[in-house]
């Protein structure tokens, strides 16, 4: 580059043309433009003698092409986190990444029901998958409610057995102890077994209807109120 040097001496103006050697620097690995210098470039920087056409746009940088004969304006994504559109882990981009790599998006998948729209290059909700997920979540909610209801029924049965005052904490231990013996307690064991079987039979049939949405799941208090009371059989010498 040539510039005009102007000096004032003895009221005379001297004009000299001086050549300035300007070097336009770039980093050799990323090839990103680093500015200009009039001095000897720092070790590790490469340079050419022509500048980029204009300032880079927002979010972009100038890079020297591989032939070292032209500047190319590219994206700059160093430090940006991108997310896989299929399986995999997020990726942190470096100065070497000129564009978002194939198979990655700038935003994470919003939900398992979202699918990548390659044409629009964005996440899109798959309503059919969303409906399936909601149905599955509803079914799991019902199963949890029914499990809690079944546990409450068992606790009610256990409490009823304990209230008999025979020293047992559940129906299985009582039935196992007395059902095989011909004594005064056998009728009690048989009555408890029949009472429990009726409760469980009714619950099993109601459970299927509840899971199918044909019958609402009752609150615990309502379900317990529907259980028929245990009727102690007449036992001689008891």
């Amino acid at each position: 580059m040539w510039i005009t040097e102007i000096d004032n001496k003895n009221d005379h103006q001297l004009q000299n043309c001086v050549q300035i050697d300007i070097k336009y620097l770039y980093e050799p690995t990323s090839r990103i433009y680093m500015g200009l210098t009039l001095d000897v470039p720092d070790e590790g920087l490469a340079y050419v003698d022509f500048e980029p056409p204009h300032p880079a746009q927002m979010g972009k940088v100038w890079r020297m092409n591989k032939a070292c004969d032209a500047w190319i304006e590219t994206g700059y994504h160093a430090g940006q986190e991108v997310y896989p559109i299929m399986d995999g882990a997020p990726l942190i981009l470096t100065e070497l990444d000129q564009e978002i790599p194939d198979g990655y998006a700038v935003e994470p998948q919003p939900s398992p029901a979202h699918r990548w729209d390659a044409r629009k290059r964005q996440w899109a909700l798959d309503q059919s998958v969303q409906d399936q997920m909601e149905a599955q979540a509803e079914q799991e909610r019902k199963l949890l409610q029914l499990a809690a209801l079944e546990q409450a029924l068992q606790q009610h049965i256990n409490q009823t057995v304990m209230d008999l005052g025979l020293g047992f904490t559940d129906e299985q231990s009582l039935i196992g102890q007395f059902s095989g013996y011909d004594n005064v307690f056998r009728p009690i064991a048989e009555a408890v077994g029949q009472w429990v079987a009726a409760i469980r039979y009714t619950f099993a049939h109601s459970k299927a209807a509840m899971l199918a949405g044909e019958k609402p799941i009752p609150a615990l208090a309502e379900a317990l109120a529907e259980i028929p009371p245990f009727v102690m059989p007449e036992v001689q010498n008891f």
Side-chain angles (χ1 to χ4, degrees):
M1 174 180 289
W2 295 85
I3 65 170
T4 301
E5 183 183 67
I6 301 177
D7 291 330
N8 292 318
K9 185 177 181 182
N10 300 324
D11 296 329
H12 293 286
Q13 193 174 62
L14 301 177
Q15 296 188 0
N16 298 313
C17 288
V18 180
Q19 185 175 12
I20 302 298
D21 187 13
I22 300 179
K23 300 175 178 64
Y24 299 94
L25 309 173
Y26 64 91
E27 197 280 319
T29 303
S30 65
R31 312 185 76 82
I32 294 177
Y33 175 58
M34 304 296 291
L36 58 84
T37 183
L38 301 177
D39 302 320
V40 176
D42 293 337
E43 184 177 352
L45 291 179
Y47 65 90
V48 293
D49 60 1
F50 55 95
E51 63 183 327
H54 55 76
Q57 300 179 27
M58 182 70 68
K60 295 189 175 183
V61 294
W62 287 104
R63 297 177 193 260
M64 179 53 58
N65 68 357
K66 292 183 178 180
C68 297
D69 59 6
W71 292 104
I72 302 173
E73 193 173 26
T74 69
Y76 183 77
H77 303 285
Q80 181 177 355
E81 186 172 20
V82 292
Y83 306 89
I85 60 177
M86 297 295 288
D87 295 330
L91 180 68
I92 302 295
L93 302 183
T94 70
E95 291 182 342
L96 300 179
D97 296 295
Q98 300 183 19
E99 305 296 340
I100 303 299
D102 291 339
Y104 287 86
V106 296
E107 296 179 351
Q109 184 181 18
S111 78
H114 282 76
R115 297 292 181 266
W116 182 252
D117 188 326
R119 184 176 61 85
K120 296 182 178 179
R121 295 192 61 80
Q122 65 182 24
W123 295 107
L125 178 65
D126 188 326
Q127 191 59 52
S128 62
V129 176
Q130 177 72 10
D131 293 342
Q132 292 175 6
M133 290 176 58
E134 291 178 354
Q136 182 178 355
E138 175 64 16
Q139 196 75 348
E140 291 175 354
R141 184 188 65 82
K142 288 181 179 179
L143 288 172
L144 288 174
Q145 286 183 295
L146 290 171
L149 181 58
E150 190 168 12
Q151 183 179 18
L153 292 177
Q154 184 60 52
Q155 291 174 348
H156 178 76
I157 291 171
N158 293 345
Q159 187 61 52
T160 300
V161 171
M162 287 188 287
D163 290 343
L164 295 178
L166 300 176
F168 298 98
T169 58
D170 61 79
E171 85 283 2
Q172 292 181 355
S173 58
L174 184 149
I175 294 171
Q177 180 68 28
F178 294 135
S179 60
Y181 294 89
D182 187 12
N183 55 38
V184 295
F185 296 109
R186 182 171 181 175
I188 298 177
E190 292 176 348
V192 168
Q194 294 172 0
W195 177 69
V196 171
I199 293 174
R200 290 179 174 163
Y201 177 84
T202 301
F203 177 77
H205 283 73
S206 298
K207 181 178 180 179
M210 293 172 191
L211 285 174
E214 299 169 356
K215 183 177 180 180
I217 299 177
L220 294 180
E222 181 182 351
L224 294 176
E226 293 179 356
I227 297 176
F230 173 71
V231 178
M232 174 69 81
E234 294 184 3
V235 178
Q236 295 179 353
N237 301 323
F238 177 71

